Amino acid sequence: MNTLLLGPDDVAASADLPAIIDAVAGAFAAYARGDAQMPAKSYVDLPQYDGDFRSMPAYIDATEGPGEPWEGAGVKWVNSHPQNPERHDLPTVMGTMVYSDPETALPLAILDGTTLTRLRTGAAAAVATDHFARADADSLGLVGAGVQAHTQLEAIAEVRDIQRVVVADLDEDTLAEFEERYGGDFEVIRSSIDEAAACDVVSTTTPVREPIVHSVGPDTHVNAMGADAEGKHEITDEVLAGATIVIDDYAQCTHSGEINVPWSAGVLDDDDIYAELGEVVAGQVEAVQDGVTVFDSTGLAIQDVAASHVIYEAARETGLGTDFALVGTET
C-alpha cells in the first residue's frame, strides 16, 4: 500500500471541522482514560536563529470512545521561528506530520503539519469552550488576528452561537485581512485588548513574554493558546490566580504553557489547577461554566493524530492527495 502525500490544499479540503473537533475531544478523553500514549514533547533549541524544533509523537486507541472506533499513531516535526515572516518570508510555524498504521507501522500519510496545527489548535479551543464557556456565549474576543485566530473563530463558532467578534492586533493589514474575510458572517469590531478580553470568550494567540491581558469579564472563558515555550506569558498572574484553570497536559503546561512563568515563580501551584481537559471530556471531573475560566493549551500530539485520522480518511474517500511508494517491498 502506498503512502498518501497531502499538501496544504489537500489538508484544507479534507478538513471537516466538526469532525475534527469531535475527534480531538475523543483524543483528550482517551488520554484521560489511559488509552493513549504520548511521550514528552522534545525540543531542539536554536537561539542563534531565534527558534526551535519540537518532536511530538503519540498513539491513540479510540475504540472505546463515541462515534466510529479507530486507532492511529503519528509524529509531528514542527518549529517556531518568530522572525521567519520578516527575515525569510516564511511562516513562523511550519510542520510535517507522519500518520501511521499502528498494526503494521506503515506510514499511511505525510501531511502538511502547518495547516494541520491550525486546525487541531482551533479544535482544542472549541472543545474547551464547549465545556467551560457559558451556554449563551455569543461574543468572541481575539487577541492577535493572524492565521491562528482564523481557526479559533471558525472552530469556536461550531460550539457557540458567536455573533460579535472583537479583534485586537498591532498590525493594521492583519486586521483588515481578518475583517475582509469574516466581516460578512460576523459583526467584526476592531478594538483594544481590554475590549476583546471582556467578551464572553477570548482566545489569545500571541508569542509575547510580558502579559498583555490585564483584565477579563466576570464570566469570560479564556483560551490561552499563545504560550508554547518556556518564558512565554500572555495573561497577568492576577487574572490567572482568580480563574478556574484547566490545562491540556500537566508536564507541558508547567514547563511551557501560559502558567509556566507564575509556576516557576511560585505564584501558582497544584492547588491552582482545576483539571486536565481530558478529565472533563471523559466525565471524570465536572465542567465549570461560571466565573472566569482559563484553558492553558500547549498543543498535544494526540490532537495531531486525531486530526490526521479525520483528514486521511476523508482524503482517501475523495481521492485527494498523491500516492507514492515511500516504503520499499523488500523485507
Side-chain angles (χ1 to χ4, degrees), residues 176-303:
E177 180 183 347
F178 184 94
E179 189 172 27
E180 181 178 359
R181 181 165 181 173
Y182 296 106
D185 298 316
F186 303 92
E187 179 189 2
V188 176
I189 301 168
R190 302 190 200 186
S191 192
S192 65
I193 291 174
D194 287 346
E195 289 294 326
C199 290
D200 298 330
V201 182
V202 58
S203 288
T204 61
T205 57
T206 70
V208 298
R209 291 176 177 268
E210 292 293 334
I212 55 176
V213 175
H214 296 275
S215 64
V216 298
D219 293 304
T220 296
H221 169 68
V222 182
N223 296 304
M225 316 302 289
D228 59 357
E230 191 174 1
K232 291 187 177 181
H233 193 21
E234 295 184 288
I235 301 160
T236 62
D237 296 351
E238 292 76 16
V239 172
L240 293 173
T244 299
I245 299 175
V246 61
I247 60 178
D248 60 6
D249 176 76
Y250 182 89
Q252 286 193 188
C253 287
T254 54
H255 174 269
S256 54
E258 180 56 38
I259 65 172
N260 85 90
V261 173
W263 188 273
S264 64
V267 175
L268 298 178
D269 58 26
D270 284 348
D271 291 338
D272 296 295
I273 297 176
Y274 179 71
E276 290 190 350
L277 181 58
E279 296 174 318
V280 178
V281 177
Q284 299 169 356
V285 177
E286 187 176 355
V288 175
Q289 294 188 344
D290 63 302
V292 176
T293 55
V294 173
F295 172 48
D296 184 354
S297 171
T298 56
L300 304 185
I302 55 171
Q303 298 167 224

Side-chain angles (χ1 to χ4, degrees), residues 155-177:
I156 289 169
E158 293 288 344
V159 300
R160 288 296 183 272
D161 184 21
I162 300 300
Q163 301 292 322
R164 183 168 60 95
V165 182
V166 181
V167 192
D169 196 290
L170 295 176
D171 190 307
E172 287 296 323
D173 291 339
T174 300
L175 285 168
E177 180 183 347

